Structures are given as structure tokens and as C-alpha cells.
Amino acid sequence: MKTVLITGANKGIGFESARQLLQNGFRVFLGTRDLKNGLNAAEQLKADGLVNVEAVQIDVTSQESVNAARKEIGSKVGALDVLINNAGISGIDLDSNGQMVPQTAVDTEIAIYQKVYDTNVYGPARVTKAFIDLLHHSPEPRIVNLSSSQGSLTLHSDPNYLYYHVKGVVYLSSKAALNMYTVNLAYELRDTAFKVNAVSPGFTATDFTGKNGGSIEVAAKRVIKYALIGQDGPTGKLFCEETNPDGIGEIPW
Ligand code: NAP
């Protein structure tokens, strides 16, 4: 039975990815920064007959928490087949009228960059570094980094891009950094069985978007596709079926 760790899987796209991978016969380590929320999420899945799921406390901004999760999972399995770096935040604050404060390059406080990068950039790097040895023990290891088409420098420079006017320097630059992290990681692992890709789920109705957007089921399907790819599958690529629905959905970095 294949194993997967999904960070931030107590809700949203991570939770639905857990459900779909359970349906595909995986043993799922459901990463959650608040263990109580993760245990509740795991119970929901078990109630649906998807029993091979265990909640694991993991705050991707805490080295101590990541180390503890690595120790816990390593005590249960000899190999990890798939890591999905899903946990992410927008860092967008609301003003006193409940309106979103734009993340402008001119005004945004550095503390907001630090908070968002700690989760969206250092988080995947921290978790990948901690789990890479366990992934190496899998015959076909996969790493999927949850990115966004909005992290594409090429698309965000193109006035015809769907979200060209949806700027926001902190979140978007964090995903651009994650994209470059993915390119480097895939390159370093190019002579191994690893497949390392970045996937944009598309605009999806979760807490992240105030429940605006498309279906979570479709988003998770786009994500788990890259957890399930075979040895002939791609590596070191960025995919977004929302902005490039043709073919396999590859988009430029
Ligand atoms: P969501 O519903 O807000 O879920 C985010 C998850 O990340 C939650 O489980 C949250 O845990 C967790 N998380 C946040 N900070 C964490 C930390 N420090 N350590 C561990 N877990 C942490 O968001 P979503 O829409 O499912 O987003 C999932 C991923 O997709 C993100 O990386 C996001 O950037 C990306 N994405 C989303 C969209 C979209 O339209 N929804 C579009 C493009 C990309 P708590 O419950 O404890 O807060």
C-alpha cells in the first residue's frame, strides 16, 4: 500500500486530496497544525469507510513540529511514496470594514512577507528536507507542491492572462519562489525515480477564497494526478488546467 503525507489536510483542497488518495488505495498521513482539527477530519473520512488515515500534527513553520512528524511517521513506515506540500496562506488581511487590504509592492509591511514566506516557501523546503530520506526509500517517490498559475512570472506579465489584474505581491511572489524551489529540487533529483512537480489547483471555493471559486473535488483531482503519475510522467513542470485546459495543462514558469 502506498503512503502519502499531505500538509494542511484538515480542510480545503488538502482534505479532499486525502479523500481521493484514500479512494485510490493509499495510506494517508493527514497533516494538520491543530491536532484536534486533524482528528476530526480523519474521523469524517473514516465515517465514509475510508479508514487508512491518521492525523499527524505538523506546523510547517516549526522545525520542532516537522521533526516530530518525521519521527512519528518514520516509526510507522519504512518509506514515504508521496509528499504533497499543500499548506499555504494568502496573508491577506481585512480592514476595519471587512475589505481585503491589497498587498502592494509599495506599501506592504515586511512582516507580512515573512509570515507568508515562512508558510509557503520555507514550509515546503523544511518539510521536504525532513522527509527526503523516507521518500528515497520509495521505488517511485512523488513530490507535489501546491502552487498557483499566479506564481508564473510569464503569465503575470501577459495582459491576456485571466488574472493579469489580480496582483498581490506577497502571496504571488511566495508562489513564484516555490516554483523556483520546485525547478531546483527536480533538477537535483533528475537522475532518480523522483517526479517533482508544481500544480495550480485553479480558483477554488475554500476558506482561502472566502468560499468563492470552483469545486474542491475538481481541484483535488488536478493535484492528485501528479501524485499518481507513472515513471514515464513529467518532472520539474508547472501545471494548471484552469488556465491551460488543453492537453496536459502545462503552463510557463
Ligand atoms: P484552505 O482551505 O485555507 O486550507 C489551507 C490549509 O493549510 C489548512 O489546513 C491550514 O490549516 C493549513 N495551514 C496553513 N498554515 C499552516 C502551517 N503553518 N502549518 C500547517 N498547515 C498550515 O486553503 P486551500 O484553498 O485548500 O489551499 C491549499 C493550497 O492551495 C494552498 O497552498 C494555496 O496557496 C493553494 N491554492 C489555492 C487556491 C484556491 O483558489 N483555493 C488557488 C491556487 C492555489 P488551519 O486549518 O490550521 O488553518
Side-chain angles (χ1 to χ4, degrees):
M1 183 181 292
K2 285 198 169 184
T3 54
V4 58
L5 167 63
I6 309 170
T7 62
N10 53 287
K11 66 178 186 179
I13 297 166
F15 177 70
E16 181 57 26
S17 300
R19 178 192 297 282
Q20 294 185 13
L21 285 174
L22 284 162
Q23 288 165 340
N24 275 275
F26 272 71
R27 176 175 179 183
V28 172
F29 295 106
L30 185 152
T32 177
R33 76 172 144 178
D34 179 321
L35 186 59
K36 194 155 66 66
N37 292 341
L39 289 170
N40 287 339
E43 282 314 310
Q44 278 183 54
L45 294 166
K46 285 179 186 167
D48 291 341
L50 301 166
V51 295
N52 282 321
V53 55
E54 291 152 73
V56 175
Q57 198 282 330
I58 181 165
D59 179 339
V60 303
T61 66
S62 160
Q63 190 64 51
E64 202 186 346
S65 166
V66 170
N67 290 348
R70 166 66 185 82
K71 203 171 161 197
E72 184 182 341
I73 293 174
S75 73
K76 295 178 177 174
V77 291
L80 183 68
D81 297 293
V82 179
L83 169 62
I84 302 184
N85 285 309
N86 167 79
I89 58 171
S90 69
I92 294 173
D93 287 327
L94 300 180
D95 65 17
S96 52
N97 299 318
Q99 297 299 309
M100 289 195 296
V101 179
Q103 292 179 342
T104 61
V106 170
D107 287 326
T108 302
E109 298 295 341
I110 297 306
I112 299 180
Y113 290 84
Q114 287 170 327
K115 185 175 158 201
V116 173
Y117 279 45
D118 203 9
T119 305
N120 295 2
V121 186
Y122 312 148
R126 191 180 282 119
V127 176
T128 303
K129 188 165 156 43
F131 282 89
I132 198 80
D133 59 338
L134 216 48
L135 286 156
H136 266 293
H137 287 130
S138 165
E140 298 187 343
R142 306 286 177 257
I143 298 174
V144 183
N145 292 332
L146 265 283
S147 186
S148 171
S149 68
Q150 296 212 46
S152 164
L153 301 178
T154 308
L155 292 185
H156 248 300
S157 309
D158 176 0
N160 295 316
Y161 167 53
L162 182 61
Y163 299 119
Y164 178 70
H165 293 291
V166 187
K167 298 292 196 249
V169 70
V170 181
Y171 176 70
L172 302 194
S173 66
S174 77
K175 293 299 188 187
L178 179 64
N179 286 350
M180 185 54 94
Y181 174 76
T182 306
V183 167
N184 275 263
L185 185 63
Y187 174 80
E188 288 168 34
L189 294 168
R190 67 194 181 286
D191 293 329
T192 71
F194 273 80
K195 304 289 178 193
V196 180
N197 291 292
V199 178
S200 172
F203 185 48
T204 306
T206 63
D207 288 349
F208 191 89
T209 58
K211 304 277 190 215
N212 296 302
S215 114
I216 299 188
E217 289 77 12
V218 169
K221 200 170 161 210
R222 290 169 175 164
V223 173
I224 69 150
K225 182 172 170 185
Y226 296 94
L228 298 173
I229 48 170
Q231 279 314 111
D232 55 346
T235 192
K237 305 284 187 192
L238 171 61
F239 297 97
C240 178
E241 289 181 17
E242 178 189 37
T243 47
N244 181 9
D246 303 332
I248 58 167
E250 187 180 344
I251 59 170
W253 295 108

